[in-house]
Amino acid sequence: MNPTPERLDPGLYIVATPIGNLGDLSPRAASILARADAIAVEDSRVTAKLLNHIGTKRRMIPYHDHSADHVRTDLVARLATESIALVSDAGTPLISDPGYKLVRAARAAGHAIVTIPGPCAAIAALTLAGLPTDRFLFAGFLPVKEKAKADTILELGAVRATLVLYESGPRLHATLTALHTHLGDRDAAVTREISKAYEEAVTGTLSVLIDRYAEGGPRGEIVIVVAPPGEAPPPEPDAVDALLRDALTRLPMAKAAAEVAKATGLDKRDLYARALAMRDE
Ligand code: SAM
């Protein structure tokens, strides 16, 4: 006979759940989910399947960071006497998923907060890509609009770190193309369907990956990983001019040259001279 499961202490339990393979739910995560007084969820249909897998039913409370303030206030008030688990549809809550505002409010109110670590697509992709992992910059989804996307890529590309981005199949080709235009032909990886039957990691320079996905976006969930600057040949002169032109719309000449130098690994003085020449052309 099973002993009565120990009741959880009141507080917020941040529980990572599988990103594809249900076998990746940790025993500790399953135990917390089975014992929590309630579970704050993104989509109750998705979490119901997970609970069904571990043979339990719990009260579910829909939660998003953009939920009305009273939803969060109510959840935080409950934490004084109840154990509430926070999950997202897949992976680690708060990572391109809801939760940060709830954790902040729970912390401000002095409640216990416990994390139950587990799957995260960004980290799993890094382990597959074969690119430097000592410094990485996770940036979630890039903006969809072209100008905002370009600005963000330039900003991120200047950082000496491997970039980790979430993306969807239909947008993959456009995003790889934008990364190539603004960062040059860096090494990269497209990881897909991690922990599922059709898991794959395709590696190569951005131009190779652009060709590979020219026929249209692949199905499934995707993480793009891009090597840090300075490890790839610099962009073609035309692309450098395009970068400079874009930077000059936002910055004075010296700053524009410095930004493009950081993103491409090219010499700042050469870029400044090129910017001067472009102005005089
Ligand atoms: N919180 C989640 C985590 O810890 O990874 C991420 C949630 S975010 C809304 C969903 C995105 O994560 C997907 O669009 C995809 O880019 C990435 N992702 C999630 N599961 C994945 C998988 N199995 N393989 C590849 N990428 C995945």
Side-chain angles (χ1 to χ4, degrees), residues 239-261:
V240 175
D241 285 357
L243 288 180
L244 265 178
R245 248 191 305 276
D246 178 81
L248 285 166
T249 62
R250 294 175 282 108
L251 300 167
M253 208 174 276
K255 286 203 169 140
E259 180 182 274
V260 177

Side-chain angles (χ1 to χ4, degrees), residues 130 185 232:
D185 206 8

Side-chain angles (χ1 to χ4, degrees), residues 2-278:
N2 283 337
T4 312
E6 208 181 305
R7 192 167 179 261
L8 285 177
D9 289 334
L12 181 64
Y13 295 78
I14 301 149
V15 182
T17 61
I19 55 170
N21 188 326
L22 287 176
D24 292 338
L25 185 73
S26 74
R28 182 170 173 233
S31 159
I32 299 280
L33 292 178
R35 290 185 294 148
D37 292 318
I39 307 180
V41 301
E42 245 190 304
D43 182 336
S44 54
R45 289 162 304 183
V46 174
T47 303
K49 283 188 198 151
L50 183 69
L51 296 182
N52 190 38
H53 170 72
I54 57 173
T56 191
K57 282 200 166 109
R58 308 312 288 161
R59 185 156 49 98
M60 290 189 267
I61 304 167
Y63 176 76
H64 288 271
D65 279 337
H66 55 259
S67 296
D69 282 352
H70 71 83
V71 175
R72 187 162 38 251
T73 311
D74 177 58
L75 272 173
V76 171
R78 286 166 185 251
L79 292 174
T81 54
E82 292 183 31
S83 55
I84 298 190
L86 170 70
V87 298
S88 59
D89 285 352
T92 301
L94 282 82
I95 307 301
S96 286
D97 265 341
Y100 136 74
K101 289 185 180 172
L102 180 61
V103 170
R104 189 174 57 169
R107 204 162 273 299
H111 296 303
I113 302 172
V114 180
T115 191
I116 292 82
C120 175
I123 299 296
L126 263 178
T127 66
L128 287 171
L131 294 171
T133 52
D134 53 336
R135 290 183 95 200
F136 61 88
L137 196 169
F138 169 67
F141 295 93
L142 289 174
V144 175
K145 290 196 176 141
E146 213 173 309
K147 172 82 170 77
K149 189 182 234 179
D151 289 350
T152 307
I153 290 174
L154 278 171
E155 187 189 344
L156 299 175
V159 180
R160 295 214 161 266
T162 294
L163 300 179
V164 184
L165 305 167
Y166 286 162
E167 194 46 281
S168 68
R171 298 206 176 112
L172 178 65
H173 190 260
T175 295
L176 290 172
T177 304
L179 287 165
H180 180 260
T181 305
H182 300 298
L183 304 183
D185 206 8
R186 293 192 192 179
D187 280 334
V190 172
T191 64
R192 203 169 65 82
E193 296 289 85
I194 297 169
S195 79
K196 304 184 195 176
Y198 297 102
E199 171 176 311
E200 71 173 7
V202 181
T203 59
T205 58
L206 284 166
S207 56
V208 166
L209 295 173
I210 289 168
D211 286 349
R212 159 83 185 232
Y213 294 107
E215 300 296 306
R219 282 168 186 271
E221 302 196 275
I222 292 168
V223 184
I224 304 174
V225 187
V226 185
E231 299 192 2
E236 295 295 314
D238 282 355
V240 175
D241 285 357
L243 288 180
L244 265 178
R245 248 191 305 276
D246 178 81
L248 285 166
T249 62
R250 294 175 282 108
L251 300 167
M253 208 174 276
K255 286 203 169 140
E259 180 182 274
V260 177
K262 266 192 176 174
T264 59
L266 294 171
D267 188 272
K268 191 166 63 182
R269 279 160 306 187
D270 293 345
L271 290 164
Y272 187 80
R274 178 67 193 136
L276 276 175
M278 282 167 66

